[in-house]
Coordinates of all heavy atoms in Angstrom, one line a residue:
E34 N 35.5 217.3 99.8 CA 36.2 216.0 99.9 C 37.5 216.2 100.7 O 37.8 215.4 101.6 CB 36.4 215.4 98.6 CG 36.9 214.0 98.6 CD 37.0 213.3 97.2 OE1 36.2 213.6 96.4 OE2 38.0 212.6 97.0
A35 N 38.3 217.2 100.3 CA 39.6 217.4 101.0 C 39.3 217.8 102.5 O 40.1 217.3 103.3 CB 40.3 218.5 100.3
R36 N 38.3 218.6 102.7 CA 38.0 219.0 104.1 C 37.6 217.8 104.9 O 38.0 217.7 106.1 CB 36.9 220.0 104.1 CG 36.5 220.4 105.5 CD 35.1 220.9 105.7 NE 34.1 220.0 105.1 CZ 32.9 220.3 104.7 NH1 32.6 221.6 104.7 NH2 32.1 219.4 104.3
N37 N 36.9 216.9 104.4 CA 36.5 215.7 105.1 C 37.5 214.6 105.1 O 37.3 213.6 105.9 CB 35.2 215.1 104.4 CG 34.0 216.1 104.6 OD1 34.0 217.0 105.4 ND2 33.1 216.0 103.7
S38 N 38.6 214.7 104.4 CA 39.6 213.6 104.3 C 40.5 213.7 105.5 O 41.0 214.8 105.9 CB 40.4 213.8 103.0 OG 41.5 212.8 103.0
L39 N 40.8 212.6 106.0 CA 41.8 212.5 107.1 C 43.2 212.3 106.6 O 44.2 212.5 107.3 CB 41.5 211.3 108.0 CG 40.1 211.4 108.7 CD1 39.9 210.1 109.5 CD2 40.0 212.6 109.6
D40 N 43.3 212.1 105.3 CA 44.6 211.8 104.7 C 45.3 213.1 104.2 O 46.5 213.1 104.0 CB 44.5 210.9 103.4 CG 43.9 209.6 103.8 OD1 44.1 209.1 104.9 OD2 43.3 208.9 102.9
T41 N 44.6 214.2 104.1 CA 45.2 215.4 103.6 C 45.6 216.4 104.7 O 44.7 216.8 105.5 CB 44.2 216.1 102.6 OG1 43.8 215.2 101.7 CG2 44.8 217.3 101.9
L42 N 46.8 216.7 104.8 CA 47.3 217.7 105.8 C 47.1 219.1 105.4 O 47.3 219.4 104.2 CB 48.8 217.4 106.1 CG 49.1 216.0 106.6 CD1 50.6 215.9 106.7 CD2 48.5 215.8 108.0
P43 N 46.7 220.0 106.4 CA 46.5 221.4 106.0 C 47.7 222.0 105.4 O 48.9 221.7 105.8 CB 46.2 222.0 107.4 CG 45.7 220.9 108.2 CD 46.4 219.7 107.8
G44 N 47.5 222.8 104.4 CA 48.6 223.5 103.7 C 49.3 222.7 102.6 O 50.1 223.3 101.8
R45 N 49.0 221.5 102.5 CA 49.5 220.6 101.4 C 48.7 220.8 100.2 O 47.5 221.0 100.2 CB 49.5 219.2 101.8 CG 50.4 218.9 103.0 CD 51.8 218.5 102.5 NE 52.7 218.4 103.6 CZ 53.2 217.3 104.1 NH1 52.8 216.1 103.6 NH2 54.1 217.2 105.1
P46 N 49.3 220.5 99.0 CA 48.5 220.5 97.8 C 47.3 219.5 97.9 O 47.5 218.4 98.4 CB 49.5 220.1 96.7 CG 50.8 220.4 97.2 CD 50.7 220.3 98.7
G47 N 46.2 219.9 97.5 CA 45.0 219.0 97.6 C 44.3 219.1 98.9 O 43.2 218.5 99.1
S48 N 44.8 219.9 99.8 CA 44.1 220.1 101.1 C 43.0 221.1 100.9 O 43.0 221.9 99.9 CB 45.1 220.7 102.2 OG 45.5 222.0 101.9
A49 N 42.0 221.1 101.8 CA 40.9 222.1 101.7 C 41.4 223.5 101.7 O 41.0 224.4 100.9 CB 39.9 221.9 102.8
E50 N 42.4 223.8 102.5 CA 43.0 225.1 102.6 C 43.6 225.5 101.2 O 43.5 226.7 100.8 CB 44.1 225.1 103.6 CG 44.9 226.4 103.8 CD 46.0 226.2 104.8 OE1 46.9 225.5 104.6 OE2 45.9 227.0 105.9
A51 N 44.3 224.6 100.6 CA 44.9 224.9 99.3 C 43.9 225.0 98.1 O 44.1 225.7 97.2 CB 45.9 223.8 98.9
L52 N 42.8 224.3 98.3 CA 41.7 224.3 97.2 C 40.8 225.5 97.4 O 40.1 225.9 96.4 CB 40.9 223.0 97.2 CG 41.7 221.8 96.9 CD1 40.8 220.5 97.1 CD2 42.2 221.9 95.4
A53 N 40.7 226.1 98.6 CA 39.8 227.2 98.8 C 39.9 228.4 97.8 O 38.8 228.8 97.3 CB 40.0 227.7 100.3
P54 N 41.0 228.9 97.5 CA 41.1 230.0 96.5 C 40.5 229.6 95.2 O 39.8 230.5 94.5 CB 42.6 230.3 96.4 CG 43.2 229.8 97.6 CD 42.4 228.6 98.0
A55 N 40.6 228.4 94.7 CA 40.0 228.0 93.4 C 38.5 228.0 93.5 O 37.8 228.4 92.5 CB 40.5 226.7 93.0
V56 N 38.0 227.6 94.6 CA 36.5 227.5 94.8 C 36.0 229.0 94.9 O 35.0 229.3 94.2 CB 36.1 226.8 96.1 CG1 34.6 226.8 96.3 CG2 36.7 225.4 96.1
I57 N 36.7 229.8 95.6 CA 36.2 231.2 95.7 C 36.3 231.9 94.3 O 35.4 232.7 93.9 CB 37.0 232.0 96.7 CG1 36.7 231.4 98.1 CG2 36.8 233.5 96.7 CD1 37.6 231.9 99.2
S58 N 37.4 231.6 93.5 CA 37.5 232.1 92.2 C 36.4 231.7 91.3 O 35.8 232.5 90.5 CB 38.8 231.7 91.6 OG 39.0 232.2 90.3
A59 N 36.0 230.4 91.3 CA 34.9 229.9 90.5 C 33.6 230.6 90.9 O 32.7 230.9 90.1 CB 34.8 228.4 90.6
A60 N 33.4 230.8 92.2 CA 32.2 231.5 92.7 C 32.2 232.9 92.2 O 31.1 233.5 91.9 CB 32.2 231.5 94.3
G61 N 33.4 233.6 92.1 CA 33.4 234.9 91.6 C 33.0 235.0 90.2 O 32.3 236.0 89.8
V62 N 33.3 234.0 89.4 CA 32.8 234.0 88.0 C 31.3 234.0 87.9 O 30.7 234.7 87.2 CB 33.4 232.8 87.2 CG1 32.8 232.6 85.9 CG2 34.9 232.9 87.1
L63 N 30.7 233.1 88.8 CA 29.2 233.1 88.8 C 28.7 234.4 89.3 O 27.7 234.9 88.8 CB 28.8 231.9 89.7 CG 28.9 230.6 89.1 CD1 28.7 229.5 90.2 CD2 28.0 230.4 87.9
D64 N 29.3 235.0 90.3 CA 28.8 236.2 90.9 C 28.9 237.3 89.9 O 27.9 238.1 89.8 CB 29.7 236.6 92.1 CG 29.2 237.8 92.8 OD1 28.1 237.8 93.4 OD2 29.9 238.9 92.7
R65 N 29.9 237.4 89.1 CA 30.0 238.5 88.1 C 29.0 238.3 87.0 O 28.5 239.2 86.4 CB 31.4 238.5 87.5 CG 32.4 239.2 88.4 CD 33.8 239.4 87.8 NE 34.4 238.1 87.4 CZ 35.1 237.3 88.1 NH1 35.3 237.6 89.4 NH2 35.7 236.3 87.6
S66 N 28.6 237.0 86.7 CA 27.7 236.8 85.6 C 26.2 237.1 86.0 O 25.5 237.6 85.2 CB 27.7 235.3 85.2 OG 27.0 234.5 86.1
R67 N 25.9 236.9 87.3 CA 24.6 237.2 87.8 C 23.4 236.8 86.8 O 22.5 237.5 86.7 CB 24.5 238.6 88.2 CG 25.4 238.9 89.4 CD 25.2 240.3 89.9 NE 26.1 240.5 91.0 CZ 25.8 240.5 92.3 NH1 24.6 240.2 92.7 NH2 26.8 240.8 93.2
R68 N 23.6 235.6 86.2 CA 22.6 235.2 85.2 C 21.4 234.5 85.8 O 20.4 234.3 85.2 CB 23.2 234.3 84.2 CG 24.2 235.0 83.3 CD 24.7 234.2 82.3 NE 25.6 234.9 81.4 CZ 26.8 234.5 81.0 NH1 27.2 233.2 81.2 NH2 27.5 235.2 80.2
D69 N 21.5 234.1 87.1 CA 20.3 233.5 87.8 C 20.3 233.9 89.2 O 21.3 234.5 89.7 CB 20.4 232.0 87.6 CG 21.6 231.3 88.1 OD1 22.2 231.9 89.0 OD2 22.0 230.3 87.5
Q70 N 19.3 233.6 89.9 CA 19.1 234.0 91.3 C 20.2 233.4 92.2 O 20.7 234.1 93.1 CB 17.7 233.6 91.8 CG 17.4 234.1 93.2 CD 17.4 235.6 93.3 OE1 17.1 236.3 92.4 NE2 17.8 236.1 94.5
D71 N 20.6 232.2 92.0 CA 21.6 231.5 92.8 C 22.9 232.2 92.7 O 23.7 232.2 93.7 CB 21.7 230.0 92.5 CG 20.5 229.2 93.0 OD1 20.0 229.6 94.1 OD2 20.1 228.3 92.4
S72 N 23.3 232.7 91.5 CA 24.6 233.3 91.3 C 24.8 234.6 92.1 O 25.9 235.0 92.3 CB 24.9 233.4 89.8 OG 24.1 234.4 89.3
V73 N 23.7 235.2 92.5 CA 23.8 236.5 93.2 C 24.6 236.4 94.5 O 25.4 237.3 94.8 CB 22.4 237.1 93.3 CG1 22.5 238.4 94.1 CG2 21.8 237.4 92.0
H74 N 24.3 235.4 95.2 CA 24.9 235.3 96.6 C 26.0 234.2 96.7 O 26.5 234.0 97.8 CB 23.8 235.0 97.6 CG 22.8 236.1 97.7 ND1 23.0 237.4 98.1 CD2 21.5 236.1 97.2 CE1 22.0 238.1 98.0 NE2 21.0 237.4 97.4
V75 N 26.3 233.6 95.6 CA 27.2 232.4 95.7 C 28.6 232.8 96.2 O 29.3 232.1 96.9 CB 27.3 231.7 94.4 CG1 28.0 232.4 93.3 CG2 27.9 230.3 94.5
L76 N 29.1 234.0 95.8 CA 30.5 234.4 96.2 C 30.6 234.6 97.7 O 31.4 234.0 98.4 CB 30.9 235.6 95.5 CG 32.3 236.1 95.8 CD1 33.4 235.1 95.6 CD2 32.6 237.4 95.1
D77 N 29.6 235.3 98.3 CA 29.6 235.6 99.7 C 29.5 234.3 100.5 O 30.2 234.0 101.5 CB 28.5 236.6 100.1 CG 28.8 238.0 99.7 OD1 30.0 238.3 99.4 OD2 27.9 238.8 99.6

Side-chain angles (χ1 to χ4, degrees):
E34 188 174 324
R36 180 204 52 204
N37 296 338
S38 174
L39 299 177
D40 298 333
T41 308
L42 297 174
R45 297 270 172 105
S48 70
E50 178 184 63
L52 295 173
V56 179
I57 293 171
S58 177
V62 170
L63 287 168
D64 182 69
R65 285 187 298 278
S66 76
R67 297 188 180 255
R68 291 186 178 139
D69 56 32
Q70 185 61 34
D71 284 324
S72 66
V73 173
H74 300 288
V75 73
L76 180 59
D77 290 339

